[in-house]
Amino acid sequence: MVTILLAASFYSVQAQESRSGILDDLERNKTTGQATQSAFTATIKSATRLFEDKNDLTSVITVIPSGSEVDVLGADSTYLRVVFDDIEGFILKRHAVIRQTPMSDRRDIPASESTEQSVSLSQPQSQPQPQSQPQPQPQQASRFTYLENKYGTDLASRLIAGKIWKGISGEMVRDSWGKPVKINRVISGNTIKEEWIYKTTWLYIEDDVLMTWGPVQR
């Protein structure tokens, strides 16, 4: 029994030293100006706010959903400096699990780019026309496999066809239409309201859920 207890204690200390080593590496990167390309990633354990300034808790940029992956650029005793959807900010360290990931294992899904348009809100149509999609290419199959592993065959088929529908997450919208040209964001209490502007359509997203949409007025 004593041997078992000693072994358990040994492995617990090793695990703590491993986590401490990762955070020490992040601190060194931060102080030396390294890690423009982070070798560390983290998985969000529970939905967490992304702060522009860790010393100002009103500087919320967005809410990162549970299960999301972020790049970790630095750390202190309370916060991690991370990048989520090309947005840099700070999250509470206790809301994430850090791990070291080889750069070759990280995958980015290409997003469509459009010219910025002005917009005024109007009544939504029954179903927006999908944004112009590129002609099928050989790499389309690998993208479908990525979406199928992420959402299942049925949802992957709809997303790769450029479809959206009420109730899907902002991440699913990006997987279908790519990044918006512009995002207008209003934070009211614990509610985050966003207007995503695409080339011909605006989308209204509240707390990372697609609520409605309409045509961009020219």
Side-chain angles (χ1 to χ4, degrees), residues 22-24 26-27 30 42 44 48-60 64 70-83 89-98:
I22 290 176
L23 294 177
D24 288 345
L26 290 171
E27 282 292 345
K30 177 181 177 182
I44 303 302
T48 186
R49 296 182 181 185
L50 182 67
F51 299 101
E52 182 177 4
D53 181 354
K54 66 182 180 180
N55 297 315
D56 181 3
L57 299 184
T58 66
S59 64
V60 179
I64 305 177
V70 297
D71 291 332
V72 181
L73 304 181
D76 59 24
S77 60
T78 305
Y79 292 93
L80 297 176
R81 184 164 63 93
V82 303
V83 174
F90 298 87
I91 63 172
L92 290 170
K93 184 188 298 181
R94 67 175 182 267
H95 290 170
V97 177
I98 304 172

